[in-house]
Structures are given as structure tokens and as C-alpha cells.
Amino acid sequence: MRQYIFGTGLLSAITGGITLLRALRNDEPFTWRTALAWLSWGITLALAVGAVVDTRRARRGKVISGDSPVSKKQQKLLKKRLS
């Protein structure tokens, strides 16, 4: 579980969210640029969590979709699990 929590994708998404939260503390108005930054952060977080889920499924031997970046490594992860 530790390898998933400390993955670079999740860490960068969390630090990006912290940066956005700090920007909200200032008395700046909420503009369309701020809305786009939050949308971008949400997409980044969703992709990072999706990569973690795909990696976990691949390590357990379950089939993952072909559009996942982990699908190419699925056979390698399965062999590592079996040994």
C-alpha cells in the first residue's frame, strides 16, 4: 500500500491541490483561470488514482483495459507476482 501512496503521480496531485488551496486563502477573486486550474487538478488526480488502480489490478492478475499505460507492463508485473 505504501508504494501506491508515495507514487509520484499522487504526490504531485496532492501538492498541486495544496497550492490551489493556498491561493484560495488570499483575497483574490474566483476567475475563469482559477476554475480551469481546479478542473486541471481534478483531472490530474483522477488519472493518478486510475494509474494506481490499474497497477494494483495488474499485480493481482486481473485484466486491465488496453488504453491504460500499465497494460504494456501487465505481463511483467504478473510474472513478478508469480515468482
Side-chain angles (χ1 to χ4, degrees), residues 34 36 66 79:
T34 307
L36 285 178
K79 286 181 184 178

Side-chain angles (χ1 to χ4, degrees), residues 11-42:
L11 284 178
S12 64
I14 290 170
T15 56
I18 291 171
T19 303
L20 287 173
L21 285 174
R22 285 184 184 166
L24 281 180
R25 287 185 182 175
N26 298 337
D27 293 330
E28 298 292 326
F30 192 80
T31 62
W32 64 272
R33 288 183 183 101
T34 307
L36 285 178
W38 278 103
L39 179 66
S40 173
W41 175 78

Side-chain angles (χ1 to χ4, degrees), residues 54-55 57-64 69-83:
D54 285 347
T55 303
R57 285 183 182 169
R59 284 184 186 241
R60 292 180 177 223
K62 296 182 180 179
V63 178
I64 56 175
V70 181
S71 66
K72 295 177 184 174
K73 299 178 185 177
Q74 184 175 14
Q75 292 298 325
K76 182 179 176 182
L77 292 173
L78 184 59
K79 286 181 184 178
K80 185 176 180 181
R81 181 179 179 263
L82 293 175
S83 63

